[in-house]
Amino acid sequence: QVQLVESGGGLVQPGGSLRLSCTASRSIFSFNAMSWYRQAPGKQRELVARITTGGSTMYAESLKGRFTISRDNAKNTVNLQMNSLKAEDTAVYYCYTWFQIDYWGQGTQVTVSS
């Protein structure tokens, strides 16, 4: 059993920044990779970024250069730094990993609006 708890969402103006965190209930070395997904109203859930145990990263093409995923192994946490936010980044952001089965966090709302 794994619990993933996201935090850091909120309301931000266009051009602003937010930092999301996902804390796991066990060592993140247990997982081959951890990911952030997002789901906007009326749209399918989409992959935002992924980071492997070894630190390799990948991003959705449209988000490269604005979002950065990182991991803090000591805190069992994966972070998502989001800069230059746009209205279209508004969504619920979910943390995800696989450890024998799929695990999702409860999601954190990010709203980009003036």
Side-chain angles (χ1 to χ4, degrees):
Q1 188 77 11
V2 176
Q3 282 79 45
L4 302 174
V5 179
E6 302 103 332
S7 61
L11 174 64
V12 62
Q13 292 187 343
S17 298
L18 279 176
R19 182 179 178 88
L20 305 183
S21 295
C22 170
T23 300
S25 59
R26 62 183 295 153
S27 170
I28 58 176
F29 280 115
S30 302
F31 318 129
N32 289 330
M34 295 188 72
S35 305
W36 284 97
Y37 283 75
R38 69 184 184 183
Q39 187 166 21
K43 295 188 177 181
Q44 289 190 333
R45 193 171 295 190
E46 63 176 354
L47 177 65
V48 172
R50 176 180 293 129
I51 186 165
T52 69
T53 302
S56 297
T57 59
M58 67 85 67
Y59 299 91
E61 192 65 31
S62 62
L63 301 177
K64 285 182 179 178
R66 295 196 297 122
F67 288 19
T68 302
I69 191 170
S70 62
R71 54 193 292 148
D72 185 336
N73 296 324
K75 296 181 179 179
N76 294 330
T77 296
V78 173
N79 300 306
L80 184 69
Q81 179 66 42
M82 306 185 294
N83 298 328
S84 302
L85 284 163
K86 306 175 182 180
E88 51 263 42
D89 294 318
T90 295
V92 179
Y93 285 70
Y94 296 92
C95 184
Y96 166 83
T97 194
W98 184 91
F99 185 68
Q100 300 177 348
I101 62 173
D102 294 328
Y103 288 98
W104 294 91
Q106 81 286 355
T108 186
Q109 176 69 48
V110 171
T111 302
V112 184
S113 175
S114 56

